[in-house]
Amino acid sequence: MPRPIQATIHTESLRHNLARARASAPDARVWAVVKANAYGHGIGHVFEAFRGADGFALLDLAEAERVRALGWRGPILLLEGVFEARDLELCSRLNLWHVVHCEEQIDMLAVHKTHQPHRVFLKMNSGMNRLGFKPQGFRAAWTRLNALPQVDEISLMTHFSDADGPGGVAAQMAVFAAVTQDLPGERSLSNSAATLRYSGDSISSGQGRLPVSADWVRPGIALYGSAPDFPAHDIAHWNLHPAMTLSSRIIGTQNLVAGDGVGYGSGFQASGPMRIGVVACGYADGYPRVAPTGTPVLVEGVRTHTVGRVSMDMITVDLAPLQRAGVEAGFGSEVTLWGRSSQGTLLPIDDVAHVAGTVGYELMCALAPRVPVVMAA
Ligand SMILES: *Cc1c(COP(=O)(O)O)cnc(C)c1O
């Protein structure tokens, strides 16, 4: 028998979450963001559920090829554009739309030979200061692109730095709207946080109003059932469903007495008699090593917590809450590290990430290759 750990991808949850994103931006088209191998879920595992999206957005050319190979004929957007000139050949061949965020990418386009002009998304750095043209250089970049025979339609985009927090999107919206007000083309602004939090909001821009959801939204994390603004809001608030369950089993138990240590460095010491379970899951599976004693976990659907350090292949959990609940637990008991237990109890990935000092994004993306992935309804 293989080690009992596995990840389960819930197709119905992915569908539900996509519908939620759509409902938050009913007038926009939806890019399903599937970068980083669909946030660790596997592009092949999410593809069917996301067929209802209007396009797939990702970073990696190999991932774009994968989506085409799965039979997708609709839009695919390269969110960082091309990295070198020959990437443009693949864009021409696979009809990939690509972001243009710097002069070097325009230089490459200017010498690219193609029969089919490209659809590009010109990116503005409206305040995040990662990728994109500064507002004062944006129109010059647009004019330069617009003069190229290699370029067909130019869409306009930016990315919010503070959509998930108190900073919000107003300042970046104002910059973007002011610079682009009389430029033609579709607009794309919103990640998950902006899509959910600013649903229905707009600002005045030139002739009309620019909705935060604009023409295309770009939700990622919300599609996978993690709240982009946890702990301010959780997935129950946003009506999102966990798309990944990481589960395993107890492979041993120990009865401790006061003063007994647990794990490397004796990172936990029992203050009295207690029973612990040893779970087949460690940092080599993608479970965060920094998760401290007290990180939530479900055993047979009952919420308990880790004790002691996370090691490569094992964690240890307190079985006292099960004894108190009158639930039998021992060798072979089901353990849910995050997601949904067979009893139906939920442990949102955000709860685990928060205690471990990180975000749901990192945990799902870190799922290790050694963990078998299965699909469920
Ligand atoms: C990753 C990414 C997104 C999706 O962000 P979420 O916070 O996961 O919704 C949207 N736009 C761009 C440019 C991205 O890189």
Side-chain angles (χ1 to χ4, degrees):
M1 181 182 165
R3 253 173 107 239
I5 191 164
Q6 71 174 29
T8 306
I9 307 303
H10 306 287
T11 303
E12 266 321 307
S13 299
L14 293 165
R15 279 209 187 91
H16 167 90
N17 297 338
L18 176 61
R20 282 286 302 119
R22 217 181 250 301
S24 290
D27 300 323
R29 273 168 288 163
V30 179
W31 291 112
V33 179
V34 295
K35 63 190 178 186
N37 198 25
Y39 290 50
H41 293 64
I43 287 180
H45 298 124
V46 304
F47 179 71
E48 276 307 318
F50 291 167
R51 259 183 186 281
D54 299 292
F56 287 87
L58 39 72
L59 307 181
D60 195 273
L61 282 97
E63 290 183 346
E65 283 185 290
R66 185 80 213 284
V67 173
R68 282 281 180 254
L70 286 165
W72 179 253
R73 302 166 73 109
I76 296 178
L77 177 64
L78 297 177
L79 289 167
E80 293 180 345
V82 298
F83 306 101
E84 58 176 333
R86 54 175 195 165
D87 295 346
L88 289 168
E89 290 160 25
L90 201 69
C91 291
S92 296
R93 186 147 52 80
L94 297 181
N95 185 22
L96 308 179
W97 302 0
H98 50 102
V99 165
V100 172
H101 63 74
C102 63
E103 292 293 347
E104 291 83 349
Q105 289 179 329
I106 305 183
D107 296 341
M108 290 187 247
L109 258 172
V111 295
H112 177 56
K113 292 190 175 48
T114 179
H115 301 295
Q116 210 69 57
H118 291 193
R119 167 99 178 242
V120 298
F121 277 63
L122 182 61
K123 184 165 188 177
M124 185 191 298
N125 167 15
S126 59
M128 190 171 199
N129 289 308
R130 279 186 336 190
L131 300 180
F133 291 90
K134 281 269 171 61
Q136 53 275 28
F138 190 77
R139 297 181 69 94
W142 186 90
T143 305
R144 199 179 157 211
L145 267 182
N146 193 45
L148 295 182
Q150 291 90 343
V151 172
D152 174 19
E153 214 176 312
I154 307 175
S155 303
L156 314 175
M157 74 179 275
T158 195
H159 192 56
F160 295 126
S161 55
D162 288 83
D164 56 334
V169 300
Q172 285 181 268
M173 282 291 290
V175 169
F176 182 86
V179 175
T180 60
Q181 53 179 320
D182 56 346
L183 290 178
E186 294 187 329
R187 273 100 167 125
S188 177
L189 315 169
S190 290
N191 57 2
S192 296
T195 303
L196 295 173
R197 289 169 71 108
Y198 299 99
S199 175
D201 284 14
S202 62
I203 69 162
S204 87
S205 162
Q207 299 80 11
R209 296 198 65 84
L210 174 65
V212 176
S213 55
D215 299 298
W216 290 86
V217 291
R218 308 188 303 269
I221 193 71
L223 302 183
Y224 304 99
S226 164
D229 57 351
F230 191 85
H233 298 111
D234 60 11
I235 53 170
H237 174 88
W238 294 122
N239 183 17
L240 299 168
H241 296 169
M244 180 195 289
T245 292
L246 181 63
S247 60
S248 187
R249 296 194 179 277
I250 290 181
I251 57 170
T253 57
Q254 298 290 342
N255 291 304
L256 309 181
V257 298
D260 279 350
V262 177
Y264 287 116
S266 302
F268 173 82
Q269 279 183 349
S271 56
M274 70 183 289
R275 186 158 174 260
I276 60 168
V278 181
V279 183
C281 173
Y283 61 77
D285 299 300
Y287 195 84
R289 184 178 176 278
V290 293
T293 289
T295 303
V297 49
L298 306 177
V299 176
E300 299 291 4
V302 176
R303 192 162 170 132
T304 177
H305 56 265
T306 63
V307 291
R309 265 192 212 159
V310 173
S311 48
M312 183 184 278
D313 310 307
M314 283 173 265
I315 58 171
T316 34
V317 299
D318 186 0
L319 295 178
L322 283 103
Q323 281 157 338
R324 286 198 292 274
V327 175
E328 287 284 325
F331 185 91
S333 288
E334 178 190 276
V335 179
T336 308
L337 288 317
W338 57 71
R340 184 186 299 272
S341 76
S342 340
Q343 294 78 13
T345 322
L346 289 191
L347 175 56
I349 197 168
D350 299 325
D351 290 14
V352 179
H354 189 65
V355 175
T358 182
V359 287
Y361 296 75
E362 187 179 8
L363 297 192
M364 51 179 79
C365 291
L367 185 74
R370 83 171 183 183
V371 177
V373 181
V374 299
M375 285 177 74

